[in-house]
Amino acid sequence: MSLVVVGSVALDSVETPSERRDNVLGGAAVFFSYSASYFAPVQLVGIVGDDWPDEHTQLLKKRKIDTSGLHIVEGGKTFRWTGKYQPNMNDRETLEVHLNVFGDFNPVLPESFRKSKFVFLANGSPITQSKTLDQLPDAKLVVADTMDLWINIQHDELMALWKRIDGVVLNDSEAKLLTGDENLVRAGKEILKFGPTFVVIKKGEHGAMFFSKHETYVMPAFPTPDVIDPTGAGDSFAGGMMGYLAEKGNFEPKTLKEALAYGILTASFTVEDFSLDRLKRIERPDLERRMEQYRQMLSF
Amino acid sequence: MSLVVVGSVALDSVETPSERRDNVLGGAAVFFSYSASYFAPVQLVGIVGDDWPDEHTQLLKKRKIDTSGLHIVEGGKTFRWTGKYQPNMNDRETLEVHLNVFGDFNPVLPESFRKSKFVFLANGSPITQSKTLDQLPDAKLVVADTMDLWINIQHDELMALWKRIDGVVLNDSEAKLLTGDENLVRAGKEILKFGPTFVVIKKGEHGAMFFSKHETYVMPAFPTPDVIDPTGAGDSFAGGMMGYLAEKGNFEPKTLKEALAYGILTASFTVEDFSLDRLKRIERPDLERRMEQYRQMLSF
C-alpha cells in the first residue's frame, strides 16, 4: 500500500570529528522516503526553494518516490541545517538553522495523495501535522515524530494531535523531557496514556524500545564499526519501519516487530556514510542479508 | 562444575534520588557469588574485618556458597564504599572509599579451591589477579573484570594478565578509555588483540556486547521499570554468566550466548532493590520465567 510522508526537505552541512560536508541532501522527509522506498511506493510532501538542485529530485524519482508533492517556491530558499557531532557520534550540536521556505510550510496534498492509507508525519509543528492529517480521511495508520521544541512550546497542540493518531516515534531525551521520568520503560508506558496505540522510543546507538498496551520490548541497534554520520538515522529508522508496514498492509503486533527491525537495519546503513551516500549503494537484498545477521544475533 | 571468585567483599552506603541505605552488604565477589549460586556451587575468596556481621556469611552459606575462603582479619575493618546515583540511575559518583583490610588483600586460596575449573577474577589490581591465577593450575576458563584505575596506573600488568586469560568483562567507559575509540564495536575488536579469546562490554541499562574472533553481538538489557539501585549490577551480570557456564561445564559459542542472557537477567533482578534484597526474593524458576519473556522479546 502507498505511504505518504510530510516533512522537511533540506540541505545539510555536517561536521564530524574527522570530516565535513556542505550542502548535502538531507531533511526528515528525504531520509524517510528513501529508506521507505525499499519496501513500498512513497509519496513525498515537502517544500524547497529554487536553489534546490534538480539532481536531488531525480535521485528520489529514480527510487520511484512520487515527488509531485514537493513544492518549489520561486525566489525562495531551501531549509538549511548545520550541525557538529561530538567524538562519541551520538551527541550533536546544532550550529545553524535557516528554516527559509520551510518556516511557512503549509502542506497541501496533491489529490492523488489523499487516499493514502499509511501516513508518517515527520517532525514539525503539531499544528501543521494536524492540518496535514485533516487532508487524509482514509488513513489507516498514522505515525508522528516530534522534537523537544514542540514539547516545550506547543505541548497542548501536541497532546491534541496524539489523541488522533496511532503511533508516536520520539527520541529517548524527548521521552524523558515529556514525562519527567528518567526510566525509559516508565516513560514509554506514560506516553501511551496520552493517546497513541503504540510508542517507539529511539535510543540512537542503543536501538529502540516499543510500547503498546500488551507489549514492551527493546531491540538493539545493529553493531556497525563504521559510524560516519548519524544524521537522518532516526528518520531512516521510521522510513524502514513504515515502509515495511505499508508493504505488508497491516500493523499487527508481529508485523510491527518485524518493521521495527527493518527500521533499525535501514538506519544502520544510513549512518555508514554522509547524507544518503550509503543508502545509494544498497538494494533490498542488502537489507535482507543484514536482517539474516540480525536475526542470528538475537537468537540463542 | 565449581566456580571460584576472588574479589571485594564490602559494606556499601548508597544514595539514590529517592532513598539512602547505609552499611548494606556489597562488594563485587558478593554480588557475583550470590548471582552465580542459582546455577553452580561457588567458592568465594575475599577479606573482611571483625566488624563483618556474621549474618552476611550465613546468608551466603544458605545459598551453598563456600565461604571458607573468606578471611576475617581480627582488629581489621571491612572495605567500605559510599556512592550516590544521578537521577538517570546510570551515572554515579563515589563519595567515599575506605579500602581497609581489602587494601592489603593477598588472596591465598584454600587447598580445596585450587582445583577449580571456572574462575572469575573480580575487579582488583592485575598484580593481585595474576597472583591468584598462579594458584589455579587446573583452570579451564578464566574471566577477569577490571576498572579505569588499573587501566590508568597498571596498564602493563593488566596487559600481561590478559594474555593469560580467556575472557575480559569491562564497562563501556573503560573500553573507550583503554582503546581511545568511542565506537564500541571497534573498541571491542581492538581489546581482543590484547589477548583474550572473548570480550564482554557492559553497557548498563543498554545491555552488553560480545566479541570473539568469529562473533560480534549485542544483547539488550531486560526492560524493567523498577530500577531502585544499580549497585552490583555488573558483578551480578558476571555471576549469572559464569554460573551458567560452570553449570553447563563448557564455553562453546552457543553456551556463551545463553550465559550472557542469564547474566543480563540476573542483573535485571539485582537493580530492582538495594544490595541483594531483590535476589533474596527470587529462585531459579523466576530467572527461567524472565528468560522466557526475554527470548520472546527478541524473537520476531
Coordinates of all heavy atoms in Angstrom, one line a residue, chain B residues 105-150:
Chain B
F105 N 44.9 -7.0 50.5 CA 44.4 -8.3 50.1 C 45.4 -9.0 49.3 O 45.8 -8.6 48.2 CB 43.1 -8.0 49.3 CG 42.3 -9.3 48.9 CD1 42.2 -10.3 49.8 CD2 41.7 -9.3 47.6 CE1 41.4 -11.5 49.4 CE2 41.0 -10.5 47.3 CZ 40.8 -11.5 48.2
N106 N 45.8 -10.2 49.8 CA 46.7 -11.0 49.1 C 46.2 -12.4 49.2 O 46.5 -13.2 50.0 CB 48.1 -11.0 49.8 CG 49.2 -11.7 49.0 OD1 49.0 -12.0 47.8 ND2 50.3 -11.9 49.6
P107 N 45.3 -12.7 48.2 CA 44.5 -13.9 48.3 C 45.3 -15.2 48.4 O 46.2 -15.4 47.6 CB 43.6 -13.9 47.0 CG 43.9 -12.6 46.4 CD 45.1 -12.0 46.9
V108 N 45.0 -16.0 49.4 CA 45.6 -17.3 49.5 C 44.4 -18.3 49.4 O 43.6 -18.3 50.3 CB 46.4 -17.5 50.8 CG1 47.0 -19.0 50.9 CG2 47.5 -16.5 50.8
L109 N 44.4 -19.1 48.4 CA 43.2 -19.9 48.2 C 43.3 -21.2 49.0 O 44.3 -21.8 49.1 CB 43.1 -20.4 46.7 CG 42.3 -19.3 45.8 CD1 43.0 -18.0 45.8 CD2 42.2 -19.9 44.4
P110 N 42.2 -21.6 49.7 CA 42.1 -22.8 50.4 C 42.5 -24.0 49.4 O 42.2 -23.9 48.2 CB 40.7 -22.9 50.9 CG 40.1 -21.6 50.8 CD 40.9 -20.8 49.7
E111 N 43.1 -25.0 50.0 CA 43.5 -26.1 49.1 C 42.4 -26.7 48.3 O 42.5 -27.0 47.1 CB 44.1 -27.2 50.0 CG 45.2 -28.1 49.4 CD 46.3 -27.3 48.7 OE1 46.9 -26.4 49.3 OE2 46.5 -27.6 47.5
S112 N 41.2 -26.7 48.9 CA 40.0 -27.3 48.2 C 39.5 -26.4 47.1 O 38.7 -26.9 46.3 CB 38.9 -27.5 49.2 OG 38.5 -26.2 49.8
F113 N 40.0 -25.2 47.0 CA 39.6 -24.3 45.9 C 40.5 -24.4 44.6 O 40.1 -24.0 43.6 CB 39.6 -22.8 46.3 CG 38.5 -22.4 47.2 CD1 37.7 -23.4 48.0 CD2 38.1 -21.1 47.4 CE1 36.7 -23.0 48.9 CE2 37.1 -20.7 48.3 CZ 36.4 -21.6 49.0
R114 N 41.7 -25.0 44.9 CA 42.7 -24.8 43.8 C 42.5 -25.7 42.6 O 43.3 -25.6 41.6 CB 44.1 -25.1 44.5 CG 44.4 -24.0 45.5 CD 45.8 -24.1 46.1 NE 46.0 -23.1 47.1 CZ 47.1 -22.4 47.3 NH1 48.2 -22.7 46.5 NH2 47.2 -21.5 48.2
K115 N 41.6 -26.6 42.7 CA 41.3 -27.5 41.5 C 40.2 -26.9 40.6 O 39.8 -27.5 39.7 CB 41.0 -28.9 41.9 CG 42.0 -29.6 42.7 CD 42.4 -30.9 42.0 CE 43.7 -31.6 42.6 NZ 44.9 -30.7 42.4
S116 N 39.7 -25.7 41.0 CA 38.6 -25.1 40.3 C 38.8 -25.0 38.8 O 39.9 -24.6 38.4 CB 38.1 -23.8 40.9 OG 37.1 -24.0 41.8
K117 N 37.8 -25.3 38.0 CA 38.0 -25.2 36.6 C 37.5 -23.8 36.0 O 37.9 -23.4 35.0 CB 37.1 -26.3 35.9 CG 37.5 -27.7 36.3 CD 38.7 -28.2 35.4 CE 38.9 -29.7 35.5 NZ 39.6 -30.0 36.8
F118 N 36.5 -23.2 36.7 CA 35.9 -22.0 36.3 C 36.3 -20.9 37.3 O 36.1 -21.0 38.5 CB 34.4 -22.1 36.1 CG 34.0 -22.9 34.9 CD1 34.1 -24.3 34.9 CD2 33.6 -22.3 33.8 CE1 33.8 -25.0 33.8 CE2 33.2 -23.0 32.6 CZ 33.3 -24.4 32.7
V119 N 36.9 -19.8 36.8 CA 37.5 -18.8 37.6 C 37.0 -17.4 37.2 O 37.1 -17.1 36.0 CB 39.0 -18.8 37.5 CG1 39.7 -17.7 38.4 CG2 39.5 -20.2 38.0
F120 N 36.6 -16.6 38.2 CA 36.3 -15.2 37.9 C 37.2 -14.3 38.8 O 37.1 -14.4 40.1 CB 34.9 -14.9 38.1 CG 34.5 -13.5 37.7 CD1 34.5 -13.1 36.4 CD2 34.2 -12.5 38.7 CE1 34.2 -11.8 36.0 CE2 33.9 -11.2 38.3 CZ 33.9 -10.9 36.9
L121 N 38.0 -13.5 38.2 CA 38.8 -12.5 38.9 C 38.1 -11.2 38.9 O 38.1 -10.5 37.9 CB 40.2 -12.4 38.2 CG 41.0 -13.7 38.0 CD1 42.2 -13.5 37.1 CD2 41.3 -14.4 39.4
A122 N 37.4 -11.0 40.0 CA 36.6 -9.7 40.1 C 37.6 -8.5 40.1 O 38.8 -8.7 40.3 CB 35.7 -9.7 41.3
N123 N 37.0 -7.3 39.8 CA 37.9 -6.1 39.8 C 38.8 -6.1 40.9 O 38.5 -6.2 42.1 CB 36.9 -4.9 39.8 CG 37.7 -3.6 40.0 OD1 38.8 -3.5 39.5 ND2 37.1 -2.7 40.7
G124 N 40.1 -5.9 40.6 CA 41.2 -5.7 41.6 C 42.5 -5.5 40.8 O 42.5 -5.5 39.6
S125 N 43.5 -5.2 41.5 CA 44.8 -4.9 40.9 C 45.2 -6.1 40.0 O 45.1 -7.3 40.4 CB 45.9 -4.7 41.9 OG 47.1 -5.3 41.5
P126 N 45.6 -5.9 38.8 CA 46.0 -7.0 37.9 C 47.2 -7.8 38.5 O 47.4 -9.0 38.2 CB 46.4 -6.3 36.6 CG 46.5 -4.9 36.9 CD 45.7 -4.6 38.1
I127 N 47.9 -7.2 39.4 CA 49.0 -7.9 40.1 C 48.4 -9.0 41.0 O 48.8 -10.1 41.0 CB 49.9 -6.9 40.9 CG1 50.6 -6.0 39.9 CG2 51.0 -7.7 41.7 CD1 51.4 -4.8 40.6
T128 N 47.4 -8.6 41.8 CA 46.7 -9.5 42.7 C 46.0 -10.5 41.9 O 46.0 -11.7 42.2 CB 45.7 -8.7 43.5 OG1 46.4 -7.6 44.2 CG2 45.1 -9.6 44.6
Q129 N 45.3 -10.1 40.8 CA 44.6 -11.0 39.9 C 45.6 -12.1 39.4 O 45.3 -13.3 39.3 CB 43.9 -10.3 38.8 CG 42.8 -9.4 39.2 CD 42.1 -8.7 38.0 OE1 42.8 -8.2 37.1 NE2 40.8 -8.6 38.0
S130 N 46.8 -11.7 39.0 CA 47.8 -12.6 38.5 C 48.3 -13.6 39.5 O 48.4 -14.8 39.2 CB 48.9 -11.7 37.9 OG 49.8 -12.5 37.2
K131 N 48.5 -13.1 40.7 CA 48.9 -14.0 41.8 C 47.9 -15.0 42.1 O 48.2 -16.1 42.5 CB 49.2 -13.1 43.1 CG 50.6 -12.5 43.1 CD 50.8 -11.8 44.5 CE 51.9 -10.8 44.4 NZ 51.8 -10.0 45.7
T132 N 46.6 -14.6 42.0 CA 45.5 -15.5 42.3 C 45.5 -16.6 41.2 O 45.4 -17.8 41.5 CB 44.2 -14.8 42.2 OG1 44.2 -13.7 43.1 CG2 43.0 -15.7 42.5
L133 N 45.7 -16.2 40.0 CA 45.7 -17.1 38.9 C 46.8 -18.2 39.0 O 46.6 -19.4 38.7 CB 45.8 -16.4 37.6 CG 45.6 -17.1 36.3 CD1 44.3 -17.9 36.3 CD2 45.6 -16.1 35.1
D134 N 47.9 -17.8 39.6 CA 49.1 -18.7 39.8 C 48.6 -19.9 40.7 O 49.2 -21.0 40.6 CB 50.2 -18.0 40.5 CG 50.9 -16.9 39.6 OD1 50.7 -17.0 38.4 OD2 51.5 -16.0 40.2
Q135 N 47.6 -19.7 41.5 CA 47.2 -20.7 42.4 C 46.1 -21.6 41.8 O 45.5 -22.5 42.5 CB 46.6 -20.1 43.7 CG 47.6 -19.2 44.4 CD 47.0 -18.4 45.5 OE1 46.3 -18.9 46.4 NE2 47.2 -17.1 45.5
L136 N 45.8 -21.4 40.5 CA 44.7 -22.2 39.9 C 45.2 -22.9 38.6 O 44.8 -22.5 37.5 CB 43.6 -21.2 39.6 CG 42.8 -20.7 40.8 CD1 42.2 -19.4 40.6 CD2 41.8 -21.7 41.2
P137 N 46.1 -23.9 38.8 CA 46.7 -24.5 37.7 C 45.8 -25.3 36.8 O 46.1 -25.6 35.6 CB 47.8 -25.5 38.3 CG 47.2 -25.7 39.7 CD 46.5 -24.5 40.1
D138 N 44.6 -25.7 37.3 CA 43.7 -26.5 36.6 C 42.6 -25.7 35.9 O 41.6 -26.3 35.3 CB 43.0 -27.6 37.5 CG 44.1 -28.6 38.0 OD1 45.1 -28.7 37.3 OD2 43.9 -29.1 39.1
A139 N 42.7 -24.4 36.0 CA 41.6 -23.6 35.4 C 41.4 -23.8 33.9 O 42.3 -23.9 33.2 CB 41.9 -22.1 35.6
K140 N 40.1 -24.0 33.6 CA 39.7 -24.3 32.2 C 39.2 -23.0 31.5 O 39.4 -22.7 30.3 CB 38.5 -25.2 32.2 CG 38.8 -26.6 31.6 CD 37.6 -27.5 31.7 CE 36.5 -27.1 30.7 NZ 35.4 -28.1 30.7
L141 N 38.6 -22.1 32.3 CA 38.0 -20.9 31.8 C 38.3 -19.8 32.9 O 37.8 -19.9 34.0 CB 36.5 -21.0 31.6 CG 35.9 -19.6 31.1 CD1 36.3 -19.3 29.7 CD2 34.4 -19.6 31.3
V142 N 39.1 -18.8 32.5 CA 39.4 -17.7 33.4 C 38.9 -16.4 32.8 O 39.2 -16.0 31.7 CB 40.9 -17.5 33.7 CG1 41.2 -16.4 34.7 CG2 41.5 -18.8 34.2
V143 N 38.0 -15.7 33.6 CA 37.5 -14.4 33.1 C 37.8 -13.4 34.2 O 37.7 -13.6 35.3 CB 36.0 -14.5 32.9 CG1 35.4 -13.2 32.5 CG2 35.6 -15.6 31.8
A144 N 38.2 -12.2 33.7 CA 38.5 -11.1 34.6 C 37.8 -9.8 34.3 O 37.6 -9.5 33.2 CB 40.1 -10.8 34.6
D145 N 37.5 -9.1 35.4 CA 36.9 -7.8 35.3 C 38.1 -6.8 35.6 O 39.1 -7.2 36.1 CB 35.8 -7.6 36.3 CG 34.9 -6.4 36.1 OD1 35.2 -5.6 35.2 OD2 33.9 -6.3 36.8
T146 N 37.8 -5.5 35.3 CA 38.8 -4.5 35.7 C 38.2 -3.2 35.9 O 36.9 -3.1 35.9 CB 40.0 -4.4 34.7 OG1 41.1 -3.7 35.3 CG2 39.5 -3.7 33.4
M147 N 38.9 -2.1 36.1 CA 38.3 -0.8 36.2 C 39.3 0.3 35.7 O 40.5 0.0 35.5 CB 37.9 -0.5 37.6 CG 39.0 -0.2 38.6 SD 38.5 0.1 40.3 CE 37.7 1.7 40.2
D148 N 38.8 1.5 35.5 CA 39.6 2.6 35.0 C 40.9 2.8 35.7 O 42.0 3.0 35.1 CB 38.8 3.9 34.9 CG 38.1 4.2 36.2 OD1 38.2 3.4 37.2 OD2 37.4 5.2 36.3
L149 N 40.9 2.6 37.1 CA 42.1 2.8 37.9 C 43.3 2.0 37.4 O 44.4 2.5 37.2 CB 41.8 2.5 39.3 CG 43.0 2.5 40.3 CD1 43.4 4.0 40.6 CD2 42.6 1.9 41.7
W150 N 43.0 0.7 37.1 CA 44.1 -0.2 36.7 C 44.5 0.1 35.3 O 45.7 -0.1 34.9 CB 43.7 -1.7 36.9 CG 43.1 -1.9 38.2 CD1 41.8 -2.4 38.5 CD2 43.7 -1.7 39.5 NE1 41.6 -2.4 39.8 CE2 42.7 -2.0 40.5 CE3 44.9 -1.2 39.9 CZ2 43.0 -1.9 41.9 CZ3 45.2 -1.1 41.3 CH2 44.2 -1.5 42.2

